[in-house]
Amino acid sequence: MMNRHIFRTGWKKGTMLALTLTFGLAVAGCGTATTSKDEAQTTGSAGQAEAASTDQKLVVYSAGPDGLAKKLVAGYEAQSGVKVELFQGTTGKILARMEAEKTNPVADVVVLASLPSVQGLKKEGLTLPYPDAKNADKLNPDWSDKEGNYFSTSASALGIAYNTKLVKTPPTSWADLAKPEYKDQVNIPDPSLSGSALDFMTGYLSAKGDGGWTLFEQYKANGVAMAGANQEALDPVITGAKGVVVAAVDYMTYKAKAKGEPIDIVYPTEGTVISPRPAAILKSTQHEQNAKAFIDYLLSEEAQKLVADASLLPGRTDVKADKRANLDEIPLLKTNWEWMGEHGSDVTEKFTQMFK
Amino acid sequence: MGGLSVKHIRAWCLTLALIALLFLIVMPLLQIFIQSVYVDEKFQWDAPFRTLAASPFAGVLFSSIWLGICVIAGTTVLALPLAWIMSNTRLAHWRWLDVVLLIPFMTPPYIGSMGWILFMQKNGYLEQLFPNLHFLTPSFFSLGGMVMIMSLHLFPFLYLLLRGALVRIGGSLEEAGAVMGGGFLYRFRRIILPLLLSAYGMGALLIFVKTIAEFGTPATFGRRIGYEVMTSEIHKYISSWPIDFGKATSMASVLLTACLLMWYAQSVINRKFTYRLVGGKGSRPSRLRISGWTTGLSVAFILLLLIASIGIPYFSILSASTMKLRGMGLAWDNLTLDSYKELLSWGSESMEALLNSVFLSLGASTLAVVLGTWFALVIGGSRTRIQRTVDAFSLLPNTVPGIVMVVGLILWWNSPWMPIPLYNTYGMVILTYVILFVPYTVQYVKSAFTQVDTGLFQAGQVFGGRPSYIFRRIVLPLIVPGMLAGWMMTFTIASRELVGSLLILPPSVQTSATYIFAQFEQGQVSLGMAMAVISVGMTTLLLILIESLNSQRKWK
């Protein structure tokens, strides 16, 4: 017994040392790889103490669409010479990352695709007010914070997207989709995954009162299927597996249509909901001047044109979009954002239970 | 070498491994538990229990476990006959099959599921090719379909373990049984089955754990059929407003407990049924199990398996990647290679993502093999309690849903007092991959090592071999296949890892997996699918290269 131990441990000793050494070196290797970031950070905080001009960094967490976020960052970089680190994800991914980084925040500016979540950030005291943002007075006042905690620099509208090969006469009202001809034909995005879908549901309910639930009950009875986030709900309609998406984000539909896919969108006559996409500076920012300059850039005419080019609604009322329906062409429901923010989680729960 | 110093060294090695594991794996997970009992910055020990009582949790847990059991059954049906064929028939010479059979496993689960969905859905490819088969659609979109997809993804795993065990059993034991008059069924029941049980137990456990920790298929296919499991529920709490780590971590701890119980059951089986099989005498395959008609049947089985596990999903993936307009369906004039051109243009974002994936996975797999081998050797036969603790700790990442482990890692490495500034660097990504996938190397090396008979070491010692010589000439050659398997596995999985990458990559950095995911999110399905084809193709080529180098060395 002892014999075995001796030689076993004997050879093990040698290997173990070698392995430990290798591991140690590897960790050290990872360590050296990080120095550039350290330097960047030190210069960052030092720069803040002296003058803003030496601070050449900004970290932005942005929800899609992908191409637009990159263009905006490139535009800002070209104008300011600041190097932007961009993290892209859905609103949920960004919030999860922020939560995980709570004790040691990294992001300076967040751009989300849902107003209630940024209202939540404000309530928790995580946002930095910037009341002097340039051109903020030209923004749609309903979508942004009066104290300058967040600025909705773009928005999407919710509509009914349909496959033009399968649906010849498009529906004109939300209630149409409860009709027998749409039985098992309709997708609706999951409000726990799609902030804009939730905006539609809470917006519709805030306008119609509790009676609004009747519509969703009829939907359920007509075989409407809850299907992932926005793109996941739209894809089966593009390929023809389903005919219609209700509460579809309009810019995704416009984009697919521009490519030539057999798809189009209508806004029901009784009105729909707009889903603003707010940008906010985080209180924990280490690059305050750059963050403010970035917000100014998002509100500039140049950036607002980029927004319009991406088929989104510009946040500024004086910039028009030519590739899509403008705000004045979309019938709106009388929504109450305060109510919507407060009842988001209840509505999500009730809705997802109903459509399970 | 005195007895005392040996004991010291032994203890020292174990302690060091334990410390490394504590620092790398246990502490990050503890952060999660801490988070789950601190609600609104107040300590509330009962918070997890309240969460569980308030959520529709029992049903979801049951769904997860039921899915795991079904997938074990599914993979067994696929892997056991295959392992038998590949260790006993002439087809065993088809070494290329081993590499080909890794393709299903290298295909990211959410892409494989997407492939199946595109093929089977209404107006899908199947219906476009064979309009009469549309009646299959409803029965496919069910739990049965989900089990099938997941089994087809995971079976190579079980197959590799089972084939390894069957090859090690060799022919002589069975021939002995035959000489003594045992029939085929008797030999199977009394000789092969007991010898196979430990490998099967380990494989089945891993399959179970992989299944209930899997996120990709439930997120794509499960959502379609309304089948919710623990991971999709955890993901919901962790990625949609309002974020609730407390709820997510409470659920994760239950999942963890379930997996640890399974692990315990497996280790009991393992200890009872492990035999020293690799002795001084060489082994050769049994000639008893081969007869004429089995070959034909085997070829048919393999063919069907290849069609289902690779043919169908890759038909969909390739079609989707070459389609001009997805709304137009399968048609020759709807064909284009534009996506590939866009992807492979030098200096493009996609190329950068691809290169990132390759370098990150290379770094991670190499580091993981070093660490994993160290742990596996320290664990040895897991005789002492500390060895078993090391064993349990090193397997933890395989028993926790990836997303939970990753959140733990972020909390740990980004805490304000952490002196090593690893967070938000490439080093962090490599470390995350290493931690997520180190259990593979541990498993493979352990499996090779525990079946080596100590008689071999004693023989080496009798002939005067020094410990380092014995290690180099006896142990190392025997565990190298395990190390290589671990390296390959880590490389392939790391290069397609999604959930961790989504959360942990530094801003402005993408890997092929996050690139694919982003394309799907943005509605650029063709680009995403093209990237999937390229990254899976690349890893397959690499594996073929390794395999051919390996077999050359073996035969010369």
Side-chain angles (χ1 to χ4, degrees):
Chain A
M1 212 38 212
M2 204 57 230
N3 255 356
R4 207 160 80 190
H5 279 178
I6 289 172
F7 80 76
R8 274 207 155 184
T9 351
W11 63 257
K12 262 183 194 161
K13 177 188 157 196
T15 359
M16 235 47 89
L17 277 178
L19 289 175
T20 315
L21 216 71
T22 326
F23 172 62
L25 281 178
V27 167
C30 297
T32 46
T34 66
T35 36
S36 64
K37 183 216 165 198
D38 290 343
E39 277 161 20
Q41 257 184 358
T42 7
T43 46
S45 40
Q48 222 174 0
E50 293 161 25
S53 58
T54 53
D55 178 12
Q56 292 298 315
K57 201 188 145 192
L58 184 70
V59 182
V60 177
Y61 288 5
S62 172
D66 192 35
L68 174 64
K70 272 182 206 130
K71 273 183 209 156
L72 288 171
V73 160
Y76 170 69
E77 280 181 335
Q79 188 197 60
S80 63
V82 168
K83 175 87 191 89
V84 176
E85 285 181 10
L86 176 66
F87 171 77
Q88 285 203 321
T90 57
T91 303
K93 295 259 152 49
I94 291 171
L95 293 172
R97 198 175 163 119
M98 283 171 63
E99 182 77 18
E101 294 170 348
K102 208 172 184 176
T103 50
N104 197 16
V106 176
D108 300 307
V109 175
V110 286
V111 182
L112 300 175
S114 137
L115 199 57
S117 50
V118 85
Q119 286 171 333
L121 294 182
K122 181 194 163 190
K123 237 177 241 162
E124 282 178 35
L126 295 174
T127 52
L128 181 84
Y130 178 36
D132 321 321
K134 276 178 211 142
N135 295 318
D137 53 322
K138 298 192 178 99
L139 285 177
N140 192 321
D142 296 344
W143 305 342
S144 297
D145 186 40
K146 285 180 192 67
E147 295 142 36
N149 281 289
Y150 54 86
F151 308 89
S152 292
T153 56
S154 63
S156 60
L158 288 316
I160 299 176
Y162 59 96
N163 186 308
T164 50
K165 291 205 292 197
L166 297 173
V167 178
K168 294 300 174 198
T169 37
T172 55
S173 134
W174 298 112
D176 282 355
L177 298 176
K179 287 180 182 163
E181 66 235 57
Y182 293 108
K183 178 118 185 94
D184 297 330
Q185 277 293 313
V186 184
N187 265 351
I188 190 161
D190 181 343
S192 73
L193 297 166
S194 158
S196 50
L198 179 61
D199 286 352
F200 168 72
M201 284 150 204
T202 51
Y204 187 82
L205 290 169
S206 81
K208 302 267 170 180
D210 270 351
W213 280 105
T214 335
L215 178 75
F216 300 131
E217 278 154 19
Q218 287 168 348
Y219 278 2
K220 176 65 191 168
N222 206 27
V224 172
M226 191 169 70
N230 297 313
Q231 194 66 45
E232 276 169 277
L234 187 64
D235 268 332
V237 176
I238 293 176
T239 55
K242 290 271 181 178
V244 177
V245 194
V246 64
V249 180
D250 59 358
Y251 71 86
M252 283 185 186
T253 319
Y254 286 123
K255 219 160 101 183
K257 187 184 168 189
K259 264 205 289 194
E261 300 286 9
I263 197 155
D264 210 343
I265 190 160
V266 288
Y267 304 102
T269 45
E270 70 257 48
T272 185
V273 178
I274 300 274
S275 188
R277 305 159 50 82
I281 304 174
L282 295 176
K283 199 165 242 161
S284 54
T285 178
Q286 298 187 4
H287 311 281
E288 190 180 326
Q289 294 313 317
N290 292 345
K292 286 181 170 169
F294 186 70
I295 295 287
D296 286 341
Y297 178 76
L298 289 181
L299 298 180
S300 71
E301 205 156 328
E302 179 187 323
Q304 289 291 301
K305 286 242 161 67
L306 290 174
V307 168
D309 281 343
S311 300
L312 280 156
L313 282 170
R316 265 169 64 168
T317 46
D318 59 336
V319 179
K320 291 282 170 237
D322 48 3
K323 289 183 180 170
R324 53 157 298 139
N326 274 295
L327 192 56
D328 47 11
E329 298 158 79
I330 302 171
L332 292 179
L333 287 165
K334 275 203 173 352
T335 52
N336 176 350
W337 279 106
E338 204 139 314
W339 190 92
M340 290 163 70
E342 274 163 31
H343 291 80
S345 51
D346 301 343
V347 171
T348 309
E349 195 163 319
K350 188 165 173 186
F351 190 89
T352 46
Q353 282 303 321
M354 195 189 236
F355 277 77
K356 232 170 205 175
Chain B
M1 250 193 250
L4 192 73
S5 75
V6 166
K7 258 189 199 154
H8 267 129
I9 294 159
R10 193 187 172 75
W12 178 232
C13 287
L14 263 174
T15 318
L16 216 61
L18 210 58
I19 291 172
L21 283 166
L22 276 172
F23 187 74
L24 292 175
I25 296 171
V26 180
M27 288 315 286
L29 282 176
L30 267 182
Q31 298 278 310
I32 293 245
F33 285 109
I34 292 169
Q35 189 107 40
S36 76
V37 290
Y38 273 94
V39 179
D40 303 327
E41 279 153 36
K42 271 182 298 241
F43 175 74
Q44 300 178 356
W45 62 272
D46 58 339
F49 301 100
R50 272 188 284 127
T51 305
L52 298 179
S55 55
F57 149 80
V60 182
L61 178 66
F62 177 77
S63 301
S64 271
I65 291 176
W66 179 235
L67 184 68
I69 293 169
C70 290
V71 173
I72 290 180
T75 47
T76 307
V77 168
L78 299 173
L80 192 59
L82 187 68
W84 188 85
I85 291 169
M86 291 303 287
S87 58
N88 292 307
T89 68
R90 258 178 295 158
L91 274 49
H93 297 302
W94 294 3
R95 302 293 299 174
W96 54 268
L97 253 181
D98 274 1
V99 178
V100 171
L101 282 170
L102 276 174
I103 294 179
F105 191 66
M106 281 184 290
T107 315
Y110 67 98
I111 304 234
S113 313
M114 281 278 279
W116 274 100
I117 291 173
L118 290 176
F119 195 77
M120 295 301 292
Q121 72 186 1
K122 194 171 146 264
N123 284 331
Y125 300 144
L126 179 69
E127 220 176 297
Q128 292 175 31
L129 292 170
F130 311 102
N132 296 328
L133 291 177
H134 65 90
F135 66 90
L136 285 173
T137 302
S139 54
F140 179 77
F141 284 91
S142 65
L143 178 62
M146 186 151 150
V147 170
M148 193 184 91
I149 292 176
M150 294 183 94
S151 304
L152 285 170
H153 169 63
L154 287 171
F155 83 90
F157 216 176
L158 191 61
Y159 155 70
L160 282 180
L161 277 167
L162 288 180
R163 201 204 56 183
L166 277 173
V167 167
R168 277 196 294 273
I169 291 171
S172 42
L173 291 172
E174 209 189 339
E175 276 158 18
V179 167
M180 298 299 173
F184 173 75
L185 282 179
Y186 182 84
R187 294 197 310 264
F188 185 75
R189 192 160 52 86
R190 298 304 297 268
I191 299 174
I192 301 182
L193 213 56
L195 290 173
L196 213 53
L197 210 57
S198 112
Y200 179 73
M202 194 181 274
L205 170 86
L206 278 175
I207 297 280
F208 180 83
V209 167
K210 287 241 72 124
T211 306
I212 66 174
E214 173 57 53
F215 170 69
T217 309
T220 43
F221 192 88
R223 209 181 269 155
R224 256 295 199 6
I225 60 170
Y227 196 82
E228 287 198 19
V229 293
M230 296 285 279
T231 44
S232 50
E233 199 77 352
I234 291 171
H235 187 259
K236 198 175 81 190
Y237 288 126
I238 227 163
S239 67
S240 60
W241 185 260
I243 304 285
D244 196 332
F245 276 4
K247 278 195 180 111
T249 50
S250 305
M251 290 202 139
S253 23
V254 174
L255 199 53
L256 180 63
T257 315
C259 294
L260 286 179
L261 280 175
M262 284 293 288
W263 171 82
Y264 180 73
Q266 185 268 339
S267 75
V268 168
I269 297 176
N270 198 21
R271 249 177 295 160
K272 233 173 143 182
F273 293 101
T274 299
Y275 306 92
R276 305 285 171 199
L277 290 168
V278 180
K281 286 168 248 137
S283 69
R284 62 199 162 71
S286 168
R287 301 267 160 246
L288 290 168
R289 304 175 207 153
I290 308 162
S291 66
W293 59 272
T294 41
T295 312
L297 212 64
S298 303
V299 172
F301 178 81
I302 289 179
L303 218 61
L304 272 177
L305 191 64
L306 289 181
I307 290 175
S309 64
I310 302 173
I312 290 176
Y314 273 91
F315 174 79
S316 298
I317 293 170
L318 280 168
S319 306
S321 75
T322 52
M323 218 164 254
K324 249 182 248 164
L325 287 177
R326 304 185 55 230
M328 293 302 150
L330 296 173
W332 288 114
D333 60 347
N334 196 22
L335 211 68
T336 171
L337 287 176
D338 287 352
S339 305
Y340 289 91
K341 254 183 255 159
E342 193 177 334
L343 275 183
L344 291 177
S345 52
W346 193 253
S348 66
E349 220 187 302
S350 41
M351 198 68 201
E352 215 170 281
L354 206 58
L355 290 176
N356 273 336
S357 274
V358 171
F359 290 127
L360 289 172
S361 332
L362 274 179
S365 51
T366 311
L367 197 56
V369 163
V370 173
L371 264 185
T373 309
W374 176 31
F375 293 149
L377 294 181
V378 164
I379 294 162
S382 39
R383 270 177 225 94
T384 68
R385 185 162 300 175
I386 304 180
Q387 282 178 326
R388 280 205 283 278
T389 313
V390 170
D391 194 5
F393 282 175
S394 66
L395 293 185
L396 267 182
N398 225 342
T399 55
V400 197
I403 194 161
V404 176
M405 187 77 233
V406 170
V407 169
L409 285 171
I410 298 178
L411 293 174
W412 175 245
W413 287 95
N414 191 37
S415 351
W417 43 261
M418 170 59 72
I420 310 169
L422 204 58
Y423 187 71
N424 257 343
T425 65
Y426 283 96
M428 182 74 199
V429 187
I430 292 183
L431 188 75
T432 305
Y433 290 169
V434 168
I435 289 170
L436 285 176
F437 305 125
V438 80
Y440 292 105
T441 310
V442 174
Q443 287 286 17
Y444 284 122
V445 174
K446 213 170 65 181
S447 160
F449 187 62
T450 48
Q451 300 210 335
V452 178
D453 191 356
T454 40
L456 287 179
F457 305 134
Q458 281 155 7
Q461 212 186 13
V462 164
F463 289 108
R466 293 163 58 86
S468 65
Y469 181 84
I470 294 174
F471 177 77
R472 199 156 42 85
R473 299 305 297 266
I474 300 176
V475 179
L476 206 58
L478 288 172
I479 61 169
V480 154
M483 288 170 72
L484 203 66
W487 188 87
M488 261 165 42
M489 209 49 124
T490 310
F491 180 81
T492 48
I493 313 179
S495 65
R496 66 159 174 71
E497 206 287 332
L498 175 68
V499 186
S501 314
L502 278 176
L503 288 174
I504 219 143
L505 279 175
S508 305
V509 177
Q510 276 190 314
T511 63
S512 56
T514 59
Y515 180 86
I516 294 169
F517 193 78
Q519 298 320 304
F520 288 166
E521 246 174 31
Q522 306 290 333
Q524 313 256 44
V525 176
S526 309
L527 269 181
M529 288 299 198
M531 182 60 122
V533 172
I534 288 174
S535 54
V536 173
M538 234 172 42
T539 31
T540 312
L541 276 180
L542 185 85
L543 293 189
I544 291 172
L545 201 75
I546 291 174
E547 183 72 12
S548 65
L549 284 178
N550 202 26
S551 52
Q552 260 173 11
R553 207 180 54 211
K554 226 180 268 167
W555 304 125
K556 266 179 189 168

